[in-house]
Amino acid sequence: MQQYDLISVLERVSELVTPSKERREKVEGLLRESLFKVESIIKDMGINAEVVPVGSVARDTWLPDDIDIDIFILLSRDFPEDKLGSVAVEVARRAFGSYTLRYSEHPYASCRVDDIDIEIVPAYKIMKGEKIVSSADRTPLHNNYLMGKLNSNLRKDIRILKAFAKSIGVYGAEVKVEGFSGYLLELLILFYGDFISLVRNAADWRPPVFIDIERIASKGEALKKFDSPLIVIDPVDPNRNVASPLSKTQFFRFVAACRALLNKPTEEMFRSRKEISFTPSRIKKELLERGTDIIVLLVEDLDLPPDTLWTQAKYISKRIRYVLEENGFRVLWCAGHTDEKSTVAVAAELESLEIPKALIREGPPVASQGERDFLIKHISDKNTLSGPYIEGDRWYVVKRRRFFNAADLISDYLSGKNAPKLVRGRKVRIVTGNEIGKVPEEIRNFIGKNLLREEVFTEMLV
């Protein structure tokens, strides 16, 4: 019965994720227009290059509400690598006016036309088996490989899979998501044959999962080389794991979501989620009910590409959590966020912003080799509150903490030599729960989602 229900759900979902005639005409028309512009500009610049469309639009695997037109400028190997980014920027400026500079191993430009993203990516033209200069060089090979494999049924199931991955929040290999790239999802459908077969298999995945569509790699060597829950050998490069950006969390969220879908099939597992807005009063109410508090770091007035901002946000959040826990604070969660423009934020929910000034430290056993050094260190120390004393067979001492307030601790850490490079020499705003109204709305929404964090598919598992 469940199989029949799932098939019925997928039939309806397929209609939802298939572009309408009008939408298709708009996208295909924009693609043709964009290619013509880029080709003309490249010619005017006197650059010998091939302009090719790649990605989901080129392969007809795109979703109606999530469209990226990827245009690659393929240059000869003798073109200076340090000028690749300037080619993308100049073409984007002349073709579309405004752009956002992004980075992979070298810069590329992202433009916006109505509700459609157009990415201008410079790369070197290579043949299969040739050594790459950057990862972007492989992308046209990926496109050629899939174009020779896909048919209408596979394209239909790829769209269904992309909608599923997007709905549960695992679609995207960028630092922000750490999930499944579009190319990876397409390879999974190609390997398993259809969406249902993929879901049934993925529901039982146990890491490490090894997939080699073309059987071009050694499983034993791959398991040694790649520390990843999912290993999918790139059909055009046996030394690359397509799933390397996938985090363990996102891997298991996908596995659990597949189990949930098989247990209780529903169209809701394929619909985009609406953003929830959190007012300052709502966040304060949640903190009051939980008996916890929030501390927020805001690093502002930055001028860095979005991917770099996300990398820094996640890195700094890991460091802040470590510092807090090392100094005795109980952290429920700590996460980083960025508006992808100029601000990086790190928020942590703590059991309390203040902890006792006193802490107990366990010393060595009585009459052991370390006894004398322990006693000398603590007998006359100004931060010794009581002890050293013996309990059982060991020495103990009660010490005064250097920091018992989370804001003071973080402020000291950020001003020190071990602070992350991004914050050195910068003024960092530190805000607590009572001042949450001073935090921008986007950051409040990020905090709210972490406070009420839950999986959209949990109820379908029971």
Side-chain angles (χ1 to χ4, degrees):
M1 183 64 181
Q2 287 180 343
Q3 179 184 4
Y4 174 79
D5 287 343
L6 179 55
I7 291 174
S8 298
V9 166
L10 296 184
E11 286 175 351
R12 294 192 294 272
V13 168
S14 181
E15 295 177 5
L16 295 174
V17 301
T18 300
S20 66
K21 180 182 178 182
E22 294 76 19
R23 188 66 163 161
R24 187 182 292 277
E25 287 176 352
K26 177 179 179 179
V27 172
E28 292 176 352
L30 181 57
L31 174 60
R32 288 192 300 270
E33 180 185 339
S34 301
L35 286 171
F36 178 77
K37 285 182 178 181
V38 173
E39 287 171 346
S40 299
I41 293 167
I42 286 292
K43 186 176 180 180
D44 289 344
M45 292 172 67
I47 296 174
N48 181 24
E50 181 182 353
V51 178
V52 298
V54 299
S56 60
V57 170
R59 297 193 288 269
D60 192 21
T61 57
W62 51 283
L63 294 175
D65 61 345
D66 186 13
I67 308 166
D68 290 325
I69 291 178
D70 301 309
I71 298 177
F72 272 54
I73 302 171
L74 301 183
L75 300 143
S76 60
R77 280 185 172 273
D78 58 0
F79 192 88
E81 188 176 355
D82 60 353
K83 293 184 179 180
L84 289 174
S86 62
V87 170
V89 166
E90 182 64 12
V91 169
R93 185 186 67 79
R94 291 170 62 173
F96 304 103
S98 62
Y99 63 89
T100 299
L101 193 62
R102 295 185 179 273
Y103 282 83
S104 180
E105 274 126 293
H106 53 69
Y108 65 97
S110 181
C111 311
R112 187 83 170 172
V113 177
D114 295 331
D115 60 342
I116 298 174
D117 290 319
I118 302 174
E119 296 188 344
I120 309 297
V121 184
Y124 290 106
K125 185 175 182 178
I126 63 170
M127 303 299 290
K128 185 176 180 180
E130 282 189 304
K131 185 178 180 181
I132 65 168
V133 178
S134 73
S135 58
D137 302 343
R138 292 193 200 93
T139 305
L141 301 181
H142 294 162
N143 202 67
N144 294 339
Y145 173 80
L146 285 169
M147 290 294 283
K149 299 283 187 179
L150 298 181
N151 56 41
S152 59
N153 286 332
L154 291 172
R155 287 185 170 94
K156 178 193 70 175
D157 280 30
I158 286 170
R159 283 192 168 96
I160 291 172
L161 175 58
K162 287 182 176 180
F164 177 69
K166 185 179 179 183
S167 176
I168 63 175
V170 302
Y171 187 13
E174 62 269 25
V175 178
K176 175 182 178 179
V177 181
E178 296 180 330
F180 294 76
S181 69
Y183 178 55
L184 174 56
L185 294 175
E186 293 178 17
L187 290 179
L188 290 175
I189 290 294
L190 190 61
F191 179 72
Y192 286 106
D194 57 62
F195 177 79
I196 291 179
S197 296
L198 165 60
V199 169
R200 285 176 176 163
N201 279 274
D204 294 324
W205 276 353
R206 295 293 180 270
V209 177
F210 178 77
I211 295 173
D212 182 8
I213 298 174
E214 296 296 324
R215 300 181 181 179
I216 55 177
S218 162
K219 181 177 180 179
E221 289 300 315
L223 293 177
K224 291 178 184 177
K225 185 186 300 183
F226 304 116
D227 182 18
S228 178
L230 176 62
I231 300 171
V232 179
I233 301 300
D234 192 334
V236 306
D237 186 349
N239 295 310
R240 177 175 180 258
N241 173 22
V242 182
S244 60
L246 180 65
S247 69
K248 183 182 290 186
T249 295
Q250 296 292 56
F251 171 87
F252 279 107
R253 292 185 70 244
F254 183 76
V255 170
C258 287
R259 290 171 44 229
L261 182 65
L262 292 173
N263 191 46
K264 294 179 182 178
T266 171
E267 290 178 42
E268 291 304 308
M269 292 288 281
F270 300 88
R271 296 185 185 277
S272 297
R273 310 288 167 178
K274 290 184 179 180
E275 289 291 324
I276 302 174
S277 181
F278 288 85
T279 61
S281 59
R282 182 176 180 184
I283 289 180
K284 289 179 181 179
K285 181 182 177 182
E286 291 294 339
L287 293 174
L288 184 63
E289 289 183 356
R290 296 157 76 100
T292 59
D293 212 328
I294 285 284
I295 189 163
V296 186
L297 286 64
L298 295 167
V299 189
E300 299 164 306
D301 300 321
L302 299 170
D303 184 18
L304 294 168
D307 291 343
T308 304
L309 292 173
W310 276 111
T311 299
Q312 290 298 316
K314 294 199 172 190
Y315 171 73
I316 295 172
S317 71
K318 290 178 182 177
R319 296 303 307 158
I320 292 297
R321 179 168 198 146
Y322 173 81
V323 169
L324 286 167
E325 291 180 338
E326 278 293 293
N327 284 272
F329 291 87
R330 297 290 297 273
V331 182
L332 277 73
W333 58 266
C334 184
H337 185 81
T338 176
D339 61 2
E340 299 190 357
K341 297 174 184 175
S342 62
T343 301
V344 161
V346 172
E349 183 184 5
L350 308 177
E351 287 190 357
S352 175
L353 290 177
E354 292 195 351
I355 54 178
K357 296 179 182 180
L359 78 156
I360 188 168
R361 285 186 178 166
E362 182 182 272
V366 173
S368 69
Q369 188 175 4
E371 179 184 68
R372 186 171 184 273
D373 289 341
F374 181 81
L375 296 177
I376 291 174
K377 179 179 180 180
H378 294 292
I379 285 175
S380 301
D381 185 73
K382 64 180 181 179
N383 290 316
T384 296
L385 296 175
S386 64
Y389 61 89
I390 297 170
E391 186 170 313
D393 65 344
R394 305 189 76 92
W395 286 98
Y396 291 86
V397 65
V398 177
K399 306 291 291 186
R400 179 186 290 108
R401 296 181 191 274
R402 184 183 175 198
F403 294 103
F404 56 90
N405 178 280
D408 292 342
L409 168 64
I410 291 174
S411 180
D412 179 79
Y413 167 66
L414 295 179
S415 64
K417 63 180 181 179
N418 294 323
K421 289 183 180 180
L422 184 73
V423 304
R424 294 178 193 173
R426 291 184 179 274
K427 183 179 179 181
V428 180
R429 279 205 294 152
I430 300 177
V431 179
T432 57
N434 287 333
E435 306 169 302
I436 201 68
K438 298 178 180 179
V439 173
E441 181 182 7
E442 181 176 340
I443 307 302
R444 287 203 312 270
N445 292 342
F446 145 72
I447 292 169
K449 284 190 289 187
N450 276 278
L451 286 172
L452 301 182
R453 188 174 176 180
E454 61 181 351
E455 305 298 348
V456 298
F457 47 79
T458 302
E459 293 183 359
M460 284 172 276
L461 283 166
V462 296

